[in-house]
Amino acid sequence: MRIIVKPEEFRFPIPILFPSVLIFNHITAIIGLVVLLIARTCGAKWIKSLPLSPWNCFWMFHRLIIAYWITRFRIPGWKMVEVDSPDARVTIKL
């Protein structure tokens, strides 16, 4: 994901690279699954308020990761948000 900021007084835009690979990967999904399973076996009170089981949460996050990467390869440079203001122009691309 790239966040591009172009202030009016600068000639070139300022790109800010957000490492979305750190969030949308399967290692993060497995870490989340392990945390939820450990919380369930330890008897954490907050785990009972979740409407889904840890495995269902893992599979839903897995499908989100797959959809994110398919969209990223099918539509490169997709502008998710584009804001124009008097001071700067901000664009967030996938």
Side-chain angles (χ1 to χ4, degrees), residues 8-26:
E8 293 297 326
E9 57 270 359
F10 290 129
R11 190 172 190 184
F12 300 105
I14 305 166
I16 302 169
L17 297 176
F18 180 74
S20 56
V21 176
L22 295 177
I23 297 172
F24 296 110
N25 64 30
H26 286 93

Side-chain angles (χ1 to χ4, degrees), residues 35-36 38-49:
V35 167
L36 289 175
I38 289 173
R40 180 189 245 181
T41 56
C42 291
K45 294 180 182 178
W46 59 268
I47 196 81
K48 294 176 184 175
S49 65

